[in-house]
Amino acid sequence: MLASLLAAAGQAWAQDAVVHGKVTDDRGDALSVANVQLVELNVAVLTGTNGQYTILVPAARVSGQTVTMRVRTIGHKPTSRPIVLSAGEQTQDFSLVTDVNQLEAVVVTGVQEATERIKVPFSVTTIDASKLQVPAADPLTLLQGKLPANIVSASGRPGAQPAVLLRGPTSLNAQGRSQDPLYIVDGVIINGALPDLNPSDIESVEVVKGAAAASLYGARGGNGVINITTKSGRRAAEGVQFSVRTEAGLSDIERDFGIAQRTALLMNENNTQFCQAETGQPLCARTFDYTFWQQVINNQASDWAGTPPSMPIDPGATLSGGPLRQRFQIDPWPGQVYNAVRQVVTQHPYTQNDVDMTGAFGGTRFYASGSNLTDQGAIRFLQGLQRNSFRANVDQAIGSDLNIAVRTFYSRSSQDGLNQEGGAQPTPGDAGGGAFFRLTRAPGIANLLQYDTLGRLFIRPNLQQGGAQNYNPLYYLANVHRTDLTKRFIGGVTTQYTPASWVQLEANFSYDLRSTGASQFRDKGFRSTGPNPDAPTNLGNILRNSTSSEEFNTGLNATFRHNFGSDFQTRYSLRYSYAQRDSNLVFGQGDFLAFRGIDALTNVTQDKVDSSWAQSIRQIGLFGGANFTYKDRYILDALVRRDGSSLFGPGHRWANFGRVSGAWRLGLEPWWFLRQVTEFKLRASYGTAGSSPGFSSQYETFGIGPGGIPQANFLGNRNLGPEVSHEIELGADIELLGRFGLTATYARSRISDQILPVPLIAASGYQRQWQNAGELLNKTWELTLNLPFVQTRDFSWTMGVSYDRNRSVITKLDVPPYLYGASLQATDQIFYAQEGERYAEFYGRKFLTGYGDCGLLPAPFSADCGAGKAFQTNDQGFLVWVGAGNDPTMGITHNLWQAQLPGSQAPWGVAMNWGMPIILRGDGANQQTAKQVPLGNALPDFRFAITQTVTYKRLTLYALLDAAIGQSVWDQGFHWAHLDFLSKDVDQTGATVESAKPIGYYYRAAPPDNAAGIGGLYDILAPNSFSVEKASYAKLREALVSYHIGPIRGVGDWQLSIVGRNLVTFTNYRGFDPEVGVASGPSGQANSAAINAVDAFTFPNLRTFTIGVSTRF
Amino acid sequence: MRAFLYALVGALALDVGACTNPLAVDNTNNPDRNSAFRTATDLETFLGSTYAIAHSGTLGDAKVLSGGANDGLQPQLITMGMESVSGLANFAMGPRSAIPRNQIDNSINGQGSIGNLRDFFVEHSAARLASLALARLKVLGSLGTVTRDRRARAFGKFVEGVGLGNLALAYDSAAVLTEDNANDATVPLARYDSVMRAALFDLDSAATIAGMVGTAPDGFPLPATWINQATASITQAQFIQLVHSYKARFLAGVARSPADRANNVNWAQVIAEANLGITSDFNILMSPTNGWDVSWPVQHYATGSASWHQMSQFFMGMADTSGGYDTWLLLAPASRAPFLVVTPDKRFPQGTNRGAQNNDSQPASFASTRYFRNRPPSSDAAGDPLQISMYDFRRSFGFFSSSRNGPYPVMTAAEIHLLNAEGLLRQGGAANIDSAAKLINISRVAKGGLPPVDITATDTSAVVPGGNACVPRVPDAAQGYRRTKCGNMWDALKWEYRMETAFTGYGMWFFAARGWGDLPEGTAVSWPAPYQELQVRQVPIYGLGGVGLPGGSGRGNYGLFAGGVY
């Protein structure tokens, strides 16, 4: 092309004007694909790969006039200069300063049309591909630590998507809805989840967080917006360029859970044989060999395990009585001891291969890619996630005024289902294998990898009574075959027509289809733990689940511009949009297979369950807006939007939203005196956006239960409207020395009309009705720093910092105070909602701790509390009863552990055991009732992330440290493992006679009344002050060492990299992973794993090491 | 430009195509009231499903309300009545069965609060949905024929009565729901005895109307799905018997104390109702996938261990003729351990050592003996020494093993004729005692293989036969409850009642025991209205029960109090 231009130039050289030159960056490197424009003539060209450009202006348009040359390219500040355009050749070279703070970058999210970020009067975070140096399996994981927001990878299960709270929770009850932001990909409003996308296709991500910015999206924008733009050929040079990248490595799990390695079971004197319970006989009249009996009961041909001998004092059961205060867990298991975690967790491969093609031919520009991802996780017998995806993006210019952009994407992924996580008590049809639950219940003597003579894993290596339910976690994983298959197609067409410089018209249409199918098979012959057959388990189960969801979006936009002189620019926008989402589900399952090995629903003979469900959601949006810019430094923006939605009740079908915002660029004022401050923009915005009710909330219907029996649980509400977020956002964008960037934002968001299930009196027949009945207040501080300390040709060092702090408080509640949470066992009532309460505040029972709690004892006991008194603190800080003249170290030496304080002499009238933690009581009318007190908040006090990028010549070092500080987690796994004395702290290894504690200290140590909570840290299933713990952490989330090799034998542009993900976690948390939560499921109320901070046997995040090689040519 | 126009036209066409009120979307997943009641057939189908809800409110889960299986009062009732023993915190079994008894504090998020709300709501919902259907029937005028109308009305009144009756049994207060207040959601809470009066009135109506219903095709037998049966086999006579049986159960069971049961129950009416009641067990064909369930076996047999349930040594011991029960009673409470019950009662495993009892045959169905098993020692579970045993209830194991599919008795003939017998004993007189003895002996002899109680006794203090091998033996007050004596006629009645009704209906041992005075001291005799209900009604939350506290039972017979047997 250049040759032809030069040839043409040669013929007309004498009359035409030829401007050529080179565009470089501030290091002197050539900039390709920079846009060089003669503004007044509306002539533009792109630089070539060497940064060179040539503009030929026909003689007819050359008159010696002065025109403006403007040069711009992504990642650099634009520049312009006047030139005199005269016949003949002239050279104009340009050097563009790197726009390290992206102030000049164009943003498209939340604004009426593409706008330079510095002119946007509200906060928009932009993350381009250069900041996404470490590839991830899904786009949201890629964003962690890159912006101030609460993005929590609550589960490490391959294919799991992080939970996102951009500015705190917005819904008190998101049951059947979501706290997640609206996701948009290339203008396509995404139908639910993002994990099918290939992150390597991402060119940039824009994030608007609150209603002040997201008003443009009306009833769908209340939780903010994440807008992803994929790569395209828009800025491609003529020709085709290929890129190939391959990455391979291993995944494992960084931390251990900490399972007890000692036992409290009774053994003989040599600690080699276990005592066997014999009716009417002394405790150890007969002994047995544990490993022998493991063989005996497991190595049977039957589908169920045999009966192990009983043990007289068996901590695997619900133990009570004297042993709780007599036994100390100090004995090593005889023979070999196994680490259950290391038997379940194993290294698995992680590979990702990407190939893409970018190019341009005339007016046609394109990007196409293919990707293959294998993320097998780190659990033995599981295959994790496999995903193949393809993308084709085409931009077609037709003449100078019409552009058509086509985006298509298809992916197919298979995932090994939910076999590793899930409830503690999986039922035959339950997908949750509960492997991590049972993992916390495996005693050290249990070899989870032992096979019987028929080649079957031992089903019950744990002989203890609890072993009947805590069977081998690996058995389920090895013998229940579950695959979830997802197919996704996303396509969109956008047409832009610019008939005149003052008007632009745009029409778009997009389509998103997501279908999933789950297939689960448990064959006949599946073993149960005996000692009797368990037909529903032994005779197999088959499950099928199929969903399909498709969304159409259409939109028509018109933007008009008018400038009043050169200083005052105005824009006006009109928009109409229509969206429709149709979803359906078909489900079937059953037990008792007729034939072995046949994986079809026709093979089930009993417990058949089938169901189906369908819904359609339709939304119409009407929008008008105006934007005014005066002298580039006074910016005013306003819009109104009217949304109609089928999700609103018929009595409230339409809702209005809007925004007014303004910015003042003080740094451009003539009087600005701080020359070191090269940009100083203040901005303020007020806007409203909404969150829609769930599909069924408006309908005054009966549910249909099994057998067609009507259910009247939820009464719909025909007047139900959206939750409305009213947000004020104030902020400043500052740049120092043209280099150091600071963005600070304060947002105050009041989310009114909370959609809540308001209880009804039982006489109504219905339990609850959905009503707009509450208000939430979010206050958020956000700060980002971009600190490019050194920027030289050979060496650069840049540090990035992000910080955010959110407080979410319930300010109005038109329903009685209530408890809420997730939907797993014992997690549904963990937070307390009342006016004035922080959102996600754990409530539960409290152990008195420290002398500061003496005052919480009722009189006169409170006066007998302190050093040397009857109530003292022990070495763990718990306040305990020791009696006058004693201290907490005397339990063994003075034989005090079995001493009891009768209820008649004890606080609240509840008997106490010597040395045991004391539950705070005195709730309500009954003094003996344990008090429910706040235990900590599930949301962090603040979060921060630090990135460091250092380059030296061809070498790049990059690291991201991501931290969440001050949040509490209910460590349910650690808590509940105390039931079987299998949490590590029950082991008394290393304890002295002064500090050792009996097993009842950790479980319960009830006197004859057997009341829960009378000593014992396990207490009850629900949260308490021992099990809800601070779980601050900092993670080395990403690390990269890369070396730019360049061409090899003149071919390609090679790069070698070593990548690490989740390498190190700095924390005092006792569980696997402090970054944890429960994704609620359909009936969970908070409905976000970023809120439900419960470590409920969840798959910890994976640590991954890989080596990657890439090239382009 | 052309492409743009095409896109524009296409988009507009799509929108216009959707413009027939595009925002009005039907919910095709669930029926609203109009569609549920649209036709006579629909209304009848709706009404016919309401007994399933009432049943579900007591025994069945079948997902009538969010929450896991067993999130109802039944697990609490059976542990409080010592019908089952579990120290687990799950489903509040442990806290409710703790000795000494605690208060049901009704605190927000208190243990058992989910179950407390569940039954309260579901039983109200059953009564309300039945009343809504009956009100609709009034508006509709007729389902087509008089017979059909009467059948529907009889069934609707029956469900109203059962729902309200179950509420009055368990709770201290509830709302009285009728078709006349069908659209009034502000019905006040009434005391349990008022609620029970309304329930009995509804049941009277049901029996009366049912008596006027003809036979097929519009009359009886009832459609099979209304009270799930394999075939449409519940005849008019059987339905009326069932109504009278419920009346007998409710009349006797509503009493909160021994004095209440003795003085305020109309025993003549109980006898009359029982005489009109069922003569064979009332079984429902359970099918969880079709909404008919008995949920407690889900957990009771979940693990094979006895942590979740076992029979109470205190009551099982009454069958022992080896002296083991006496020895056990003599021990200090904390030193007691499960002992072998050697008994002639054939409902127990036979044998003089544990191995022999372990090997005794296990029942294949509910109808056969043994009722209990002596479990393998490895499945023993620790717990409160007064309550734990080496015995498990086994009649329902086959039912559990078939995923809770199959017939299950929710009311036994024994329950009804033993209520009859109790009425006769309370009325006294040789003839009545003679009749009562015959009723007691039905199961005592046929099921237990025990010698019949004396049918010539002239007062209820006559001891059961058998000498030292008598069954039951009961803790003797004269010996500080630390030794036993042969029980009398009353004890024999209660023994049969416990043996024959265990795990059959709703809180069978509990509701009887509170009227007999057999609950451990301080056991709550009623559940308070759930705190959630009180919050909505904006009235103070209160708790019930606990030793010496309001709503708690007095000292229990057989020494069930501190200083007695514990």
Side-chain angles (χ1 to χ4, degrees), chain B residues 391-410:
Chain B
Y391 296 93
D392 295 329
F393 183 73
R394 204 63 174 175
R395 300 178 84 184
S396 54
F397 185 76
F399 174 74
F400 163 77
S401 296
S402 61
S403 297
R404 310 190 307 285
N405 285 284
Y408 197 91
V410 296

Side-chain angles (χ1 to χ4, degrees), chain B residues 273-495:
Chain B
E273 301 293 350
N275 282 328
L276 295 171
I278 58 174
T279 53
S280 59
D281 291 352
F282 169 51
N283 291 305
I284 296 176
L285 181 64
M286 298 301 168
S287 171
T289 54
N290 287 313
W292 297 91
D293 200 357
V294 177
S295 68
W296 55 261
V298 175
Q299 294 293 356
H300 279 203
Y301 292 109
T303 67
S305 137
S307 297
W308 294 91
H309 76 110
Q310 48 188 303
M311 298 305 298
S312 163
Q313 185 75 74
F314 182 77
F315 282 110
M316 294 294 97
M318 293 180 182
D320 178 61
T321 57
S322 71
Y325 190 34
D326 285 71
T327 305
W328 182 83
L329 285 171
L330 274 172
L331 290 170
S335 302
R336 290 174 183 145
F339 65 92
L340 197 72
V341 175
V342 180
T343 176
D345 193 326
K346 298 295 186 279
R347 289 166 289 208
F348 283 70
Q350 300 296 294
T352 55
N353 60 63
R354 193 166 189 187
Q357 292 197 1
N358 286 163
N359 293 328
D360 197 16
S361 62
Q362 301 293 314
S365 70
F366 214 94
S368 55
T369 54
R370 318 289 180 216
Y371 290 4
F372 313 107
R373 72 157 185 171
N374 187 322
R375 77 178 78 86
S378 61
S379 294
D380 282 346
D384 177 69
L386 181 72
Q387 303 188 72
I388 58 172
S389 72
M390 57 179 74
Y391 296 93
D392 295 329
F393 183 73
R394 204 63 174 175
R395 300 178 84 184
S396 54
F397 185 76
F399 174 74
F400 163 77
S401 296
S402 61
S403 297
R404 310 190 307 285
N405 285 284
Y408 197 91
V410 296
M411 181 185 284
T412 60
E415 175 193 347
I416 302 306
H417 73 237
L418 289 168
L419 289 175
N420 195 342
E422 182 178 350
L424 293 166
L425 289 183
R426 289 185 184 278
Q427 289 192 335
N432 285 335
I433 293 172
D434 172 74
S435 298
K438 288 175 180 171
L439 293 170
I440 292 167
N441 286 334
I442 293 174
S443 54
R444 179 176 169 84
V445 175
K447 298 287 188 177
L450 299 171
V453 293
D454 187 357
I455 59 172
T456 62
T458 56
D459 66 63
T460 57
S461 64
V463 296
V464 294
N468 287 337
C470 65
V471 175
R473 297 187 67 85
V474 296
D476 184 6
Q479 302 181 75
Y481 301 103
R482 296 306 174 99
R483 290 188 182 278
T484 64
K485 63 177 182 180
C486 287
N488 60 21
M489 194 78 83
W490 272 107
D491 298 318
L493 168 79
K494 292 194 286 188
W495 178 252

Side-chain angles (χ1 to χ4, degrees), chain A residues 434-636:
Chain A
F436 280 92
F437 169 76
R438 270 169 282 281
L439 183 56
T440 64
R441 306 294 180 95
I445 200 169
N447 178 5
L448 307 184
L449 288 170
Q450 191 160 5
Y451 289 81
D452 64 17
T453 52
L454 296 175
R456 304 169 304 181
L457 277 168
F458 275 17
I459 179 70
R460 189 180 171 182
N462 180 352
L463 301 186
Q464 295 161 229
Q465 287 180 25
Q469 65 169 324
N470 304 326
Y471 50 80
N472 185 350
L474 287 175
Y475 185 84
Y476 205 95
L477 302 185
N479 293 288
V480 178
H481 307 288
R482 164 98 180 204
T483 301
D484 289 5
L485 183 67
T486 302
K487 298 174 186 175
R488 186 83 179 257
F489 173 80
I490 302 172
V493 179
T494 302
T495 303
Q496 279 185 344
Y497 176 51
T498 312
S501 60
W502 57 272
V503 60
Q504 184 177 70
L505 306 174
E506 182 180 292
N508 58 59
F509 172 79
S510 65
Y511 175 69
D512 180 5
L513 172 65
R514 187 170 200 262
S515 67
T516 65
S519 171
Q520 181 173 305
F521 178 57
R522 178 161 48 77
D523 205 353
K524 285 177 85 168
F526 192 89
R527 302 196 77 191
S528 55
T529 52
N532 298 300
D534 178 4
T537 301
N538 303 140
L539 296 180
N541 166 270
I542 297 173
L543 176 150
R544 292 286 185 277
N545 186 22
S546 175
T547 69
S548 173
S549 181
E550 56 183 352
E551 174 147 353
F552 306 88
N553 282 280
T554 64
L556 299 172
N557 306 332
T559 304
F560 308 94
R561 299 184 195 87
H562 183 74
N563 297 341
F564 297 91
S566 60
D567 287 339
F568 189 32
Q569 293 95 40
T570 66
R571 286 180 295 184
Y572 311 91
S573 303
L574 296 172
R575 179 174 297 179
Y576 164 81
S577 65
Y578 175 78
Q580 179 171 335
R581 179 186 297 180
D582 299 318
S583 312
N584 64 72
L585 171 148
V586 179
F587 172 86
Q589 77 158 342
D591 296 331
F592 293 76
L593 308 190
F595 300 99
R596 190 180 297 265
I598 302 302
D599 184 11
L601 280 173
T602 48
N603 195 30
V604 303
T605 62
Q606 287 191 39
D607 304 340
K608 295 178 183 177
V609 177
D610 50 53
S611 63
S612 68
W613 165 89
Q615 69 178 32
S616 183
I617 299 170
R618 297 167 191 173
Q619 289 168 312
I620 294 174
L622 304 171
F623 157 88
N627 180 281
F628 308 98
T629 302
Y630 182 66
K631 289 183 178 292
D632 276 349
R633 54 183 187 258
Y634 308 112
I635 300 156
L636 182 66

Side-chain angles (χ1 to χ4, degrees), chain A residues 279 307-310 318-320 398 402 404 425 465 468-469 495 497 505-507 509 530-536 554 556 576 578 580 591-592 606-609 612-616 618-620 644-646 653-654 695-696 699-704 706-707 709-713 759-767 816-817 819 825 828-829 832 845 923 926 928-929 932 1004 1008-1011 1020-1021, chain B residues 1-4 7-8 11-12 14-15 18 21-33 36-37 46 49 52-53 62-66 87-90 98-100 102-103 105 107-109 111 113-114 117 120-121 124-125 128-129 175 177 185-187 288-292 303 305 307-308 354 373 376-384 390 394 397 400-403 405 531 533 535-537:
Chain A
T279 306
T307 305
S310 60
T318 308
L319 197 58
S320 67
I398 302 174
L402 184 65
I404 300 174
Q425 301 286 337
Q465 287 180 25
Q469 65 169 324
T495 303
Y497 176 51
L505 306 174
E506 182 180 292
F509 172 79
N532 298 300
D534 178 4
T554 64
L556 299 172
Y576 164 81
Y578 175 78
Q580 179 171 335
D591 296 331
F592 293 76
Q606 287 191 39
D607 304 340
K608 295 178 183 177
V609 177
S612 68
W613 165 89
Q615 69 178 32
S616 183
R618 297 167 191 173
Q619 289 168 312
I620 294 174
S645 173
S646 66
R653 195 62 94 187
W654 290 83
F695 173 75
S696 60
Y699 300 102
E700 295 177 340
T701 58
F702 300 106
I704 304 174
I709 295 166
Q711 298 174 324
N713 296 342
L760 304 174
I761 62 171
S764 70
Y766 284 88
Q767 192 185 10
L819 287 122
Q825 185 179 20
D828 55 349
Q829 301 199 50
Y832 193 49
R845 296 160 71 144
D923 199 25
N926 185 355
Q928 296 188 348
T929 301
Q932 298 284 313
R1004 292 171 185 159
D1009 70 357
N1010 202 28
I1020 58 172
L1021 292 170
Chain B
M1 177 61 191
R2 182 171 295 170
F4 175 79
L8 180 63
L12 286 172
L14 189 71
D15 295 348
N21 194 10
L23 300 181
V25 173
D26 290 332
N27 179 354
T28 57
N29 303 308
N30 297 307
D32 60 17
R33 199 173 294 184
F37 296 160
F46 184 93
S49 64
I53 302 172
K63 300 291 177 288
V64 293
L65 190 66
S66 58
L88 292 180
N90 305 60
I99 292 176
N102 296 314
Q103 185 190 51
D105 57 57
S107 60
I108 296 173
N109 201 32
Q111 289 196 29
S113 59
I114 295 175
L117 174 66
F120 190 81
F121 164 68
H124 273 101
S125 192
R128 173 53 82 210
L129 296 191
L177 303 176
T186 56
V187 187
T289 54
N290 287 313
W292 297 91
T303 67
S305 137
S307 297
W308 294 91
R354 193 166 189 187
R373 72 157 185 171
S378 61
S379 294
D380 282 346
D384 177 69
M390 57 179 74
R394 204 63 174 175
F397 185 76
F400 163 77
S401 296
S402 61
S403 297
N405 285 284
Y531 76 83
E533 176 81 4
Q535 283 181 322
V536 176
R537 291 180 179 271

Side-chain angles (χ1 to χ4, degrees), chain A residues 968-990:
Chain A
S968 293
V969 169
W970 178 26
D971 193 353
Q972 192 187 58
F974 181 74
H975 179 179
W976 285 13
H978 282 77
L979 174 65
D980 283 358
F981 308 96
L982 282 173
S983 281
K984 58 188 174 188
D985 59 340
V986 186
D987 281 353
Q988 297 301 299
T989 310

